[in-house]
């Protein structure tokens, strides 16, 4: 696991954007795995700027997103599909994007179809991840065992609490989500884990303490051959 510590979230976003730029220059038909949450917003802003400046061309790129609430309407303000449109897809030339559908009548079939589509696309070249404060990646919550493929999960109290800030008092926060499985994530050829903010310092310390904690889903990344972790100083503060 390669670790890059940056001064602040802006330089972390730039370092992450450099990895995206290099990947897409080397392979214009790159398959990207994308994530949501507050962490990648700076990176997405940087990618939009570089796209507008002609440094990155997303027109041949295909994307798969990590997760989506379930159930949720696709156009719902708090859906991850809306998040991606707002922060990235509507701002530049993405034409081939795929999120797990929070409207699927059969979530298990939807997950199987999603995984098959990733395989049909040739697999993910570069997977972006954020880190939940409980160590989750995507919505793979701390557990004793983990489904390998994409799946429907019950969100933990900690995650519901962490994400409640995005929902107003009159909005119902879904208690379940569809997520890429640990195995689907692990199949990516390259993984970029972006961690910023003091609130992630404790879980970051646990990730790097030299132990594979099976109740910290991000620890599985320690076994992957091509993972880069980009942190800001605040997230790296307890290393
Ligand atoms: C969310 C998402 C994750 C994300 C994480 C961190 O619940 N499901 O994919 O990486 O939690 O979010 P944030 O960046 O807002 O801290």
């Amino acid at each position: 696991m390669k670790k890059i510590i940056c001064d602040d979230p802006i330089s972390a976003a730039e370092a992450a954007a450099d990895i995206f730029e290099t990947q897409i220059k080397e392979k214009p038909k790159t398959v990207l795995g994308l994530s949501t949450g507050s962490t990648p917003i700076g990176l997405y802003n940087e990618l939009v700027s570089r796209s507008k400046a002609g440094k990155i061309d997303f027109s041949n790129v295909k994307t798969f997103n990590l997760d989506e609430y379930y159930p949720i309407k696709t156009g719902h303000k708090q859906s991850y599909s809306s998040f991606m449109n707002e922060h990235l897809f509507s701002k530049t030339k993405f034409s081939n994007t795929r999120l797990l559908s929070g409207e699927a009548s059969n979530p298990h079939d939807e997950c199987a179809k999603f995984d098959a589509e990733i395989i049909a696309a040739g697999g993910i070249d570069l997977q972006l991840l954020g880190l939940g404060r409980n160590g989750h990646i995507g919505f793979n919550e701390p557990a004793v065992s983990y489904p390998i493929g994409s799946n429907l999960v019950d969100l933990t109290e900690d995650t519901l609490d962490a994400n409640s800030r995005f929902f107003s008092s009159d909005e119902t926060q879904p208690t379940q989500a569809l997520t890429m499985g640990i195995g689907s994530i692990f199949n990516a050829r390259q993984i970029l884990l972006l961690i910023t903010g003091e609130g992630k310092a404790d879980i970051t310390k646990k990730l790097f303490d030299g132990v594979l904690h099976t109740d910290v889903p991000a620890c599985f990344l320690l076994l992957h051959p091509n993972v880069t972790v980009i942190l800001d100083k605040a997230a790296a503060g307890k290393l």
Side-chain angles (χ1 to χ4, degrees):
M1 217 181 215
K2 188 176 161 198
K3 192 183 341 151
I4 301 172
I5 300 178
C6 301
D7 283 341
D8 51 41
I10 294 176
S11 38
E14 288 167 356
D18 288 346
I19 292 177
F20 273 70
E21 188 176 327
T22 302
Q23 168 64 38
I24 294 164
K25 278 194 174 137
E26 276 172 14
K27 185 180 174 187
K29 289 188 175 177
T30 283
V31 179
L32 292 177
L34 297 176
S35 69
T36 53
S38 47
T39 309
I41 293 176
L43 165 63
Y44 292 160
N45 290 339
E46 182 63 24
L47 292 180
V48 170
S49 306
R50 292 188 191 195
S51 164
K52 287 187 174 154
K55 291 182 185 162
I56 308 183
D57 178 6
F58 289 108
S59 55
N60 292 307
V61 166
K62 182 167 178 57
T63 69
F64 290 91
N65 256 79
L66 263 179
D67 47 18
E68 177 60 283
Y69 286 112
Y70 189 83
I72 201 161
K73 294 273 179 211
T74 301
H76 189 286
K77 203 166 63 157
Q78 302 305 345
S79 68
Y80 283 167
S81 59
S82 293
F83 175 98
M84 292 307 299
N85 282 331
E86 181 187 342
H87 294 286
L88 191 62
F89 297 156
S90 68
K91 293 185 172 173
T92 185
K93 293 184 207 154
F94 286 91
S95 57
N96 203 340
T97 62
R98 171 72 155 104
L99 279 93
L100 285 153
S101 171
E103 293 186 30
S105 53
N106 184 326
H108 306 288
D109 287 353
E110 169 64 3
C111 287
K113 193 165 166 257
F114 183 78
D115 284 343
E117 285 175 36
I118 294 176
I119 292 168
I124 291 173
D125 294 299
L126 172 60
Q127 174 68 56
L128 174 66
L129 297 175
L131 182 64
R133 68 184 186 190
N134 64 359
H136 74 214
I137 47 175
F139 268 132
N140 293 283
E141 298 282 37
V144 172
S145 59
Y146 299 88
I148 289 169
S150 298
N151 61 96
L152 175 68
V153 291
D154 293 326
L155 300 175
T156 60
E157 284 303 324
D158 188 72
T159 294
L160 291 171
D161 179 51
N163 289 354
S164 62
R165 67 190 193 276
F166 298 113
F167 291 81
S168 57
S169 53
D170 59 336
E171 288 173 327
T172 309
Q173 184 180 4
T175 58
Q176 290 186 301
L178 303 177
T179 184
M180 261 187 214
I182 298 279
S184 331
I185 293 170
F186 212 81
N187 281 339
R189 287 181 270 281
Q190 183 182 184
I191 294 176
L192 170 55
L193 174 61
L194 188 57
I195 317 175
T196 56
E198 200 184 348
K200 302 285 171 67
D202 284 323
I203 193 67
T204 298
K205 184 176 178 224
K206 203 165 174 187
L207 177 61
F208 285 107
D209 71 2
V211 177
L212 197 148
H213 301 275
T214 51
D215 62 346
V216 177
C219 276
F220 287 102
L221 302 174
L222 296 164
L223 304 176
H224 190 284
N226 192 1
V227 179
T228 302
V229 187
I230 297 181
L231 311 108
D232 68 352
K233 275 188 176 161
K238 294 188 178 175
L239 294 182

